[in-house]
Each structure stands twice: as structure tokens, then as C-alpha cells.
Amino acid sequence: MALKDRYGNPVSTGSAKAVAAYDRGVEMFLSDRWGAGAVFEEALAADPGFAMALTGLARAQATDAPLARQTLARAEALSDRLDARERAHIGILKLVLNGRAAEARDAVKVHARAYPRDVMIVQLCGSVFGLIGFSGRAGREAEMLDYVASLLPHYGDEWFIHTLHAISLCETGQLDRSLAVMERALAQNPLNANAAHFKSHALYELGETRAGRQFLDGWLSGFDPRCALHGHLSWHSALWALFDGDIATMWRVLDDSVAPGGSQGLPINKLTDTASLLWRAELAGVPVPPDHWRVLSDYAARFFPDPGQSFVDLHNALCHAMAGQGDRLARLAENPGGFAGDLVPPVAAAFGAIARGDWDSALGALVPALAQQERFGGSRAQRDLLELTYVAALMRTGRADEAARTLRLRRPVIAAQLAGPVTPG
Ligand SMILES: [Fe+2]
């Protein structure tokens, strides 16, 4: 009888030792714990022909795309001895690693119906940076909740699905349910960085700054800085410090754990989180030395020279504008492409106008992007960058009443927070 992984999927190996190591690697990968790659290697040491361990290793190597593609090719070479699920699993990862995101998203949905407990594939559509999150489609937050809800009957009381469910609930405004589900997920797997992350989102959306800081700073103290989420969780922590008026801590966390040179995380997080925090600090009246924008614009130009990832392009537009890098900004304003590429030129125009002090023009330019900001992907907390820029533009153009009303209408939790130590504009 074929061996099965922890989630009940048959796996093509005869080595129980290899499966045990694979299961540990999957748990570590899905929890964003350091060392998953080495554990998948352990599985391969027990059975070098274990294709699913190769797919896990390829996922752990995703920051080095050529290496990940090589590893996946080793798995694909074993196809003759694999079952239909394993072959489809490899096919989807091949689409992802070759940048064919829309095809991968459709394939994941088909796969999840046939093999709802193939967690490493299911997970690809289950986050705000995932294949649905970065689809650029209107309604994608509801689409993700619908996707996760369709999986619930196939799982019991398990931290993996609770984690996906909780962030889907959070981003569609079901905050109390989200927090309750996430507390359960964390109790079952306290080392799960995704659960700590999504709990932080629920607390952010509830306006629980004090409780959020207490929880997250405590959790982060035991978290390996080499893990992918460390930098982004530090952004959450620094943002709460800003909300609290604890500006010295905000700068310390930014420099040590969020910004390029401090964070050991992924370029997309270093760039977008640093740009976001610098801008939200400026909007809150905290002086940001211009050099910060110049350094970040150079980083963006080095790591993301070609427009096309719309969430990144949104933040690139901000840093190029604030750094006075008109040529770089112009490239984004022309024809950026990407899943929400039509929204990037208005944002680039808005930030360009703000950099010139022309807040009136910025206000007009922001409207189409703000109307569809969900399509940029990422979380509501991240896209508050746009909401707050719009409110600041209203205030700078003498529309204080409209600014206050807009904030209460669109982001009441932020309106309540801004009654605290720092105010926008
Ligand atoms: Fe986040």
C-alpha cells in the first residue's frame, strides 16, 4: 500500500523515513520557519527519487528562481513513476516558477477541487500575496474567501486551514470571527509565523494598537530573522510604534529589520514595507531625511528595474517621486503592464504631483486608483498608504471636513486611531 503524507495524499516513495522528513518540511514551510529546505534535503537523503520532496525543496529555494526551476526539473524527470496528483502538482509549480500566474491560478482552483488536501498547492491561492491576491481582479478578496470556504469541509480542526480562513475573513471585514479562528490556529501551532502575521492584521483592523504591539513584539522576540516574514512582521511592529507616537522605536525597527541593509527578507517586502513606513511617517508629520528616499529609489531601480508587478510599481512610484527621480517615475507612468497596470499611471501622476507640492492635481489623479485599490493586491493595512494619501490631499487642499468624513467612511478604524498621538497631513 502506498505511503501517504500527513494530509492523506499518497506519495511515490517506499521510505517512511523520507515521508516523515517531508511532513516536517511541509509544516516548517507553511509556518515560515527557518530550515525547511534542509529538512526536504533530509527526505531526499532517505530517498533521492522522492519527487514531492524535490517540489518542497524547489519551494524553499523560490528566492533563487533558476535553482528552484532546476530542482523542479529533477522532480519532473520522475513523472513516469508518479500518480496524477503528483504530476499535476509539479505542473502547477512549473507555471508559477515560469511566471505564468494566471494559468497557475486557474490550475490551482481545478487541483484544489480534485485534491483539496494537497496543502502545498492549495496554499498558493490563500494569501494576500498569492495567486488570487495578485490577480488584479476586482472582488479578489471575496474570491479568496470563497475559495477557502470551499475547502473547509475537507479539513477538520487544523491550523493550516484556520490560518487561510482567518486572513480571508479579516480582509473581508469579518474581524471578530477572524480573530477567533486565528487564536485557534496559533494555539495549535504557536510557531506559525503566518498565524502571528494574520492575527496582527486582525488586531490592526480592530484598532488594537496596544494589544497588537504587546502580542507581536513578544512573538517576534523568538522568531529567526532569516525567515521570510521577519521583515514584514517588523513592519507591522514599526507601524504600530508610529501609531503610538514611539518614533524612536519606529526608526530602530525600520533600520534593523525592515529596510534593505537591515532585513534579511525578500526584496519585495524590503522595498514595499520601507516605502510604506517612510510615507506613513511623513503623512503623520514625522520628518524623513531625503536620503532615505534616494537610497530606496536606487534599491527599487536595482531589484525591480522593469515595471510589471503592480503592487511593487505602486511603491516604486512613491519612492521615485519622493527621490526626485523623474526618469524612473516616467517609465511607470507610461506603460507599466502588470495585473493592475492600468492603475499605476494615475498613482505615478499623483505621487509626482505631491513631490512638486501640487496636491490639487494629486487629488484628481488618485481617484481612479483609490476606487479600485483592492486590485493592487496586498492587505488592507498595506493599501492604507493610498487611503491616507487621499485624505492628506484633501487636507492639504483645504477640505478638512471632507477629509475627516472620507476617513470615517472608508477607514473608520484609522479615523479612530488618528484621534491619538499623531495626526495626518
Ligand atoms: Fe501584513
Side-chain angles (χ1 to χ4, degrees):
M1 200 167 92
L3 294 173
K4 294 181 177 177
D5 69 17
R6 179 172 294 161
Y7 289 90
N9 303 291
V11 284
S12 297
T13 178
S15 167
K17 188 176 171 191
V19 177
Y22 172 75
D23 283 338
R24 270 191 295 125
V26 167
E27 176 164 348
M28 291 169 76
F29 181 86
L30 295 175
S31 306
D32 189 33
R33 280 156 57 194
W34 183 252
V39 176
F40 287 126
E41 296 270 21
E42 268 181 49
L44 288 165
D47 176 3
F50 184 12
M52 286 297 100
L54 285 165
T55 63
L57 182 60
R59 297 290 297 280
Q61 294 167 337
T63 53
D64 183 345
L67 178 63
R69 282 194 288 267
Q70 270 178 29
T71 303
L72 190 66
R74 288 165 58 198
E76 194 178 16
L78 299 163
S79 288
D80 285 352
R81 68 172 84 162
L82 305 181
D83 68 17
R85 176 195 69 91
E86 292 167 314
R87 286 198 299 274
H89 185 122
I90 292 167
I92 288 168
L93 295 186
K94 197 172 172 183
L95 291 172
V96 171
L97 289 175
N98 285 290
R100 292 161 65 180
E103 290 166 80
R105 182 182 64 248
D106 293 344
V108 168
K109 287 186 167 187
V110 171
H111 191 89
R113 282 195 289 274
Y115 311 106
R117 290 179 63 82
D118 194 354
V119 287
M120 292 289 274
I121 294 298
V122 163
Q123 172 263 356
L124 288 166
C125 278
S127 91
V128 298
F129 270 26
L131 293 169
I132 293 175
F134 280 155
S135 67
R137 300 208 286 211
R140 56 97 188 166
E141 287 170 329
E143 184 183 346
M144 191 167 91
L145 177 60
D146 184 56
Y147 167 76
V148 175
S150 75
L151 295 164
L152 294 177
H154 303 283
Y155 290 82
D157 180 20
E158 294 174 74
W159 64 263
F160 165 73
I161 202 67
H162 290 329
T163 308
L164 268 53
H165 192 204
I167 189 61
S168 309
L169 290 167
C170 178
E171 296 299 291
T172 48
Q174 301 183 59
L175 303 177
D176 291 338
R177 268 188 84 196
S178 170
L179 198 55
V181 173
M182 193 53 72
E183 294 285 14
R184 179 70 186 146
L186 259 180
Q188 291 170 322
N189 180 2
L191 299 178
N192 178 7
N194 288 304
H197 179 203
F198 300 151
K199 177 173 175 176
S200 299
H201 273 280
L203 290 171
Y204 176 98
E205 294 295 333
L206 287 162
E208 294 283 355
T209 299
R210 190 65 45 85
R213 290 190 81 185
Q214 198 170 28
F215 160 71
L216 183 58
D217 291 350
W219 196 92
L220 270 169
S221 66
F223 191 40
D224 191 321
R226 295 172 297 178
C227 293
L229 270 171
H230 188 275
H232 180 66
L233 287 173
S234 299
W235 172 81
H236 279 272
S237 168
L239 191 59
W240 270 325
L242 172 65
F243 269 55
D244 241 357
D246 184 358
I247 307 305
T249 298
M250 181 204 81
W251 282 118
R252 180 180 53 73
V253 176
L254 176 74
D255 291 340
D256 291 352
S257 304
V258 180
S263 168
Q264 299 178 55
L266 303 172
I268 186 173
N269 293 123
K270 292 185 205 179
L271 171 70
T272 61
D273 288 338
T274 305
S276 166
L277 192 58
L278 292 178
W279 185 235
R280 291 182 67 164
E282 282 212 20
L283 291 177
V286 176
V288 173
D291 211 38
H292 279 70
W293 287 116
R294 185 186 58 73
V295 169
L296 196 61
S297 173
D298 289 347
Y299 182 85
R302 181 176 163 211
F303 283 89
F304 300 96
D306 300 314
Q309 211 291 3
S310 304
F311 184 76
V312 169
D313 291 343
L314 158 67
H315 294 82
N316 275 1
L318 171 62
C319 27
H320 295 331
M322 294 306 126
Q325 291 284 356
D327 289 349
R328 291 173 183 168
L329 188 64
R331 280 200 73 200
L332 290 166
E334 282 157 13
N335 185 20
F339 53 80
D342 56 310
L343 300 182
V344 173
V347 163
F351 286 132
I354 290 168
R356 296 192 304 275
D358 180 1
W359 288 86
D360 257 316
S361 297
L363 193 57
L366 279 169
V367 168
L370 195 66
Q372 301 183 62
Q373 47 98 326
E374 176 193 24
R375 293 181 47 224
F376 276 111
S379 64
R380 292 184 171 202
Q382 288 172 309
R383 296 191 316 283
D384 276 341
L385 177 144
L386 278 175
E387 299 282 353
L388 292 172
T389 303
Y390 185 77
V391 169
L394 287 169
M395 292 181 76
R396 297 292 182 105
T397 53
R399 299 170 171 96
D401 284 352
E402 190 180 347
R405 194 166 48 242
T406 300
L407 200 56
R408 286 202 305 275
L409 176 73
R410 292 183 62 92
R411 296 297 278 150
V413 64
I414 304 293
Q417 293 268 290
L418 289 176
V422 287
T423 51

